[in-house]
């Protein structure tokens, strides 16, 4: 097979979203890319699957029965194994637009971004206010707090890190975000939803980090800008599911000369001294199997290809649920993100709910897919850890609850052996942490910052 060259700039192992973004970007920037996956489908851990596959993956049926048949054709379902939404002005959207992957995809707005205050029967679910007018209407705050929040959001809109006259008299190099909130007199509950549902921090350590307030303010501003871009919410989602994203990047990479090979297992990583310089691999699914060897300047891959080079840093808990109704408290929205900040339910980690529906061509009309996820904090009773999220769903038709999913991180940064490994997908229901990983790997592997052009028009977002 002549398309296997003797040498590439980079070999990418696994077609998860992180890997596909990197191979697409590297191809556009003129690198010669070979992209391999041992599976026969794109997406890796982040694939979209049909309903029959989901039943079989989680064992939710007895041999001989076909429970998926009562939900229509399995092929009408595209269910993400990793639920993620895109910020409409976020870095992944920048990458999609600047690389033109958007020509292969159509997006639809996610109808709302919500946050929970309180727990159990006392819980309030409300839209996350994104501008001063919404702050004044929000049920999350009392009348005086609404005014303080309005003042805060207006200030964020005028803030300029380089202009001290916009800093409210604060020395931002020596204060923390807590000091900024104190300046505006914001209550704990308000700080909670600003930090977790707008700035999208995973925990409260950002509050006390000295000198990091400008970063937090920029994250809040990104949230507001993303809402303003299309209205309703800051999030968009590709029609037919996230499985469309890696395939879009595969097409992009192919246009720029990249080579994709599915059904291909890596038999050996080749080294010269301590540096990885290539692979030996076998392509299956054809007769006879094809064995080949090729070299590369560096190798990128997901953790499953390098079990000796990664460590487990936690576990994601996830329940994929089929519903026949929208999430309560969202005004019958056809899609939503709901964040339950950890402090509201006595946890150390937030609980995320991503809900989409037939509006996104991922299930038949009348159905909704809701995925509840969080980071495990105990070694047992995992369904109880997800309970505050499951309580928000109302009646559940089907629930797929697998074992805890290990979260892997690389042991080293890749500079010693030329192998750059991505992190596992976390429990968040947005892509901001994934694009952080993409940028980090790109910089470590190439020595350059990943710069993408600013947003251009060219992102198709359907209104209905």
């Amino acid at each position: 097979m002549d398309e296997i060259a003797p040498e590439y700039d980079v070999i990418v192992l696994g077609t998860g979203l992180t890997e596909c973004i990197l191979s697409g970007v590297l191809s556009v920037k003129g690198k010669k890319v070979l992209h391999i996956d041992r599976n026969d489908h794109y997406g890796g851990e982040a694939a979209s699957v049909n309903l029959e596959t989901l039943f079989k993956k989680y064992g939710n049926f007895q041999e001989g029965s076909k429970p998926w048949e009562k939900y229509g054709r399995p092929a009408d379902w595209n269910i993400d194994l990793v639920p993620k939404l895109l910020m409409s002005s976020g870095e992944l959207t920048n990458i999609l637009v600047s690389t033109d992957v958007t020509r292969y995809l159509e997006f639809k707005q996610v109808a709302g971004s919500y946050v929970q205050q309180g727990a159990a029967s006392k819980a309030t679910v409300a839209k996350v206010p994104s501008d001063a007018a919404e702050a004044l209407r929000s049920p999350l705050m009392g009348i005086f707090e609404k005014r303080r929040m309005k003042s805060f959001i207006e200030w964020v809109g005028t803030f300029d890190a380089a202009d001290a006259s916009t800093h409210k008299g604060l020395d931002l190099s020596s204060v923390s975000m807590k000091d900024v909130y104190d300046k505006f007199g914001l209550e704990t509950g308000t700080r909670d939803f600003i930090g977790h549902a707008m700035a999208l921090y995973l925990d409260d350590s950002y509050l006390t980090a000295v000198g990091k307030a400008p970063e937090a303010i920029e994250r809040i501003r990104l949230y507001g800008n993303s809402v303003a871009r299309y209205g309703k919410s800051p999030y968009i989602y590709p029609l037919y599911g996230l499985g469309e994203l890696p395939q879009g990047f595969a097409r992009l990479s192919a246009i720029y000369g990249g080579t994709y090979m599915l059904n291909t297992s890596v038999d050996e990583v080749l080294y010269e001294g301590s540096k990885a310089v290539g692979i030996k691999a076998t392509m299956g699914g054809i007769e006879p199997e094809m064995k080949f060897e090729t070299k590369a300047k560096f190798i990128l891959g997901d953790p499953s290809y390098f079990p000796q080079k990664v460590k487990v840093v936690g576990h994601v808990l996830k329940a994929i649920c089929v519903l026949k109704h929208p999430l309560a408290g969202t005004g019958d929205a056809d899609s939503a993100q709901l964040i339950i900040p950890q402090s509201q339910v006595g946890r150390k980690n937030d609980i995320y709910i991503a809900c989409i529906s037939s509006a996104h061509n991922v299930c038949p009309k009348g159905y909704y897919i809701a995925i509840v996820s969080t980071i495990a904090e105990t070694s047992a009773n995992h369904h109880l850890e997800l309970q505050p999220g499951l309580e928000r769903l109302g009646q559940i038709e089907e629930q797929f609850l697998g074992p805890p999913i290990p979260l892997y991180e690389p042991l080293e940064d890749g500079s010693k052996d030329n192998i750059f490994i991505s992190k596992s997908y976390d429990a968040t229901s947005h892509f901001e942490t994934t694009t952080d990983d993409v940028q980090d790997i790109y910089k470590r592997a190439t020595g350059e910052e990943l710069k993408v052009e600013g947003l251009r028009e060219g992102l198709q977002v359907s209104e209905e």
Side-chain angles (χ1 to χ4, degrees):
M1 193 171 163
D2 0 339
E3 61 241 57
I4 305 295
E7 184 165 2
Y8 291 85
D9 291 313
V10 56
I11 295 170
V12 183
L13 305 179
T15 54
L17 280 158
T18 307
E19 287 70 38
C20 285
I21 294 166
L22 283 161
S23 70
V25 168
L26 287 162
S27 296
V28 168
K29 291 186 178 285
K31 302 292 184 196
K32 190 173 181 180
V33 176
L34 173 63
H35 201 151
I36 286 172
D37 196 319
R38 62 170 82 88
N39 297 309
D40 61 359
H41 59 268
Y42 293 102
E45 295 296 309
S48 301
V49 300
N50 69 37
L51 194 60
E52 181 180 344
T53 303
L54 197 69
F55 269 98
K56 289 178 175 175
K57 179 176 172 65
Y58 287 96
N60 278 32
F61 71 107
Q62 308 208 309
E63 210 50 60
S65 68
K66 295 183 177 178
W68 49 85
E69 289 185 342
K70 70 176 178 185
Y71 296 105
R73 297 187 315 163
D76 289 339
W77 295 77
N78 293 297
I79 301 163
D80 301 325
L81 296 179
V82 173
K84 298 273 185 190
L85 309 172
L86 291 82
M87 294 276 278
S88 61
S89 292
E91 200 55 30
L92 177 55
T93 310
N94 265 337
I95 293 168
L96 283 163
V97 174
S98 67
T99 55
D100 260 356
V101 171
T102 44
R103 79 178 90 165
Y104 311 120
L105 303 163
E106 187 176 355
F107 291 85
K108 185 170 167 53
Q109 275 184 283
V110 172
S113 172
Y114 297 84
V115 67
Q116 176 174 314
Q117 272 191 351
S121 58
K122 296 200 172 99
T124 301
V125 170
K127 192 170 187 293
V128 179
S130 59
D131 58 30
E134 281 192 350
L136 289 175
R137 293 196 300 270
S138 175
L140 295 167
M141 299 166 284
I143 183 74
F144 296 114
E145 183 69 354
K146 285 179 179 178
R147 289 180 189 160
R148 290 188 285 267
M149 176 65 178
K150 174 177 181 283
S151 170
F152 174 76
I153 286 187
E154 285 173 343
W155 173 71
V156 166
T158 60
F159 174 82
D160 178 352
D163 181 357
S165 70
T166 67
H167 297 178
K168 281 274 185 186
L170 294 165
D171 175 4
L172 292 176
S173 63
S174 63
V175 301
S176 66
M177 198 61 196
K178 178 184 179 298
D179 299 318
V180 175
Y181 290 147
D182 289 346
K183 182 85 175 172
F184 286 87
L186 296 177
E187 294 168 359
T188 306
T190 308
R191 299 176 189 211
D192 234 17
F193 75 70
I194 293 172
H196 292 263
M198 295 176 77
L200 301 176
Y201 282 106
L202 306 187
D203 57 40
D204 282 340
S205 59
Y206 84 97
L207 278 170
T208 51
V210 172
K212 290 288 189 181
E215 177 197 283
I217 294 161
E218 282 308 320
R219 289 170 75 137
I220 297 162
R221 196 205 297 265
L222 170 64
Y223 184 94
N225 289 346
S226 291
V227 175
R229 189 162 171 77
Y230 298 112
K232 286 194 199 169
S233 92
Y235 298 108
I236 55 176
Y237 180 85
L239 294 182
Y240 303 102
L242 296 177
E244 297 296 294
L245 284 175
Q247 294 187 56
F249 279 108
R251 288 178 192 157
L252 174 78
S253 184
I255 286 170
Y256 284 88
T259 302
Y260 269 71
M261 298 178 71
L262 299 179
N263 274 320
T264 302
S265 55
V266 177
D267 304 322
E268 185 186 344
V269 175
L270 303 172
Y271 286 85
E272 284 178 9
S274 61
K275 303 276 191 189
V277 295
I279 58 165
K280 286 183 178 177
T282 304
M283 185 180 190
I286 52 172
E287 289 295 334
E289 289 184 337
M290 188 190 80
K291 292 189 174 292
F292 64 91
E293 180 178 321
T294 187
K295 296 201 161 181
K297 297 182 178 71
F298 58 90
I299 297 173
L300 307 179
D302 77 44
S304 69
Y305 285 86
F306 303 101
Q308 311 305 316
K309 293 178 180 288
V310 293
K311 61 184 176 186
V312 176
V313 295
H315 289 83
V316 172
L317 306 177
K318 183 178 65 187
I320 299 173
C321 302
V322 174
L323 313 177
K324 281 187 172 173
H325 55 82
L327 291 185
T330 64
D332 293 341
D334 62 25
S335 49
Q337 172 178 258
L338 169 58
I339 294 178
I340 305 176
Q342 20 76 305
S343 62
Q344 301 296 317
V345 287
R347 291 178 53 76
K348 297 191 193 83
N349 294 278
D350 294 350
I351 296 173
Y352 298 86
I353 302 172
C355 182
I356 45 179
S357 69
S358 57
H360 300 85
N361 298 354
V362 292
C363 57
K365 212 165 179 47
Y367 288 102
Y368 295 77
I369 299 164
I371 305 182
V372 182
S373 49
T374 191
I375 300 292
E377 295 177 7
T378 66
S379 55
N381 299 332
H382 295 122
H383 58 289
L384 293 179
E385 294 199 54
L386 289 169
Q387 199 54 39
L390 296 172
E391 283 171 3
R392 299 275 68 79
L393 303 188
Q395 185 178 334
I396 298 170
E397 305 300 315
E398 297 287 345
Q399 179 176 304
F400 302 90
L401 181 64
I405 304 156
L407 269 176
Y408 295 104
E409 282 188 8
L411 289 166
E412 296 186 330
D413 67 4
S415 56
K416 283 187 192 164
D417 57 7
N418 282 349
I419 295 175
F420 301 91
I421 305 170
S422 59
K423 296 176 180 174
S424 303
Y425 301 102
D426 61 21
T428 61
S429 50
H430 52 76
F431 271 113
E432 295 311 289
T433 50
T434 305
T435 42
D436 288 347
D437 195 28
V438 167
Q439 289 168 318
D440 183 45
I441 293 169
Y442 186 90
K443 185 174 182 182
R444 284 188 278 126
T446 66
E448 300 168 9
E449 298 281 348
L450 172 52
K451 287 201 168 32
V452 295
E453 298 166 33
L455 278 173
R456 305 195 302 264
E457 288 314 311
L459 187 64
Q460 297 178 59
V461 177
S462 73
E463 283 302 314
E464 291 305 328

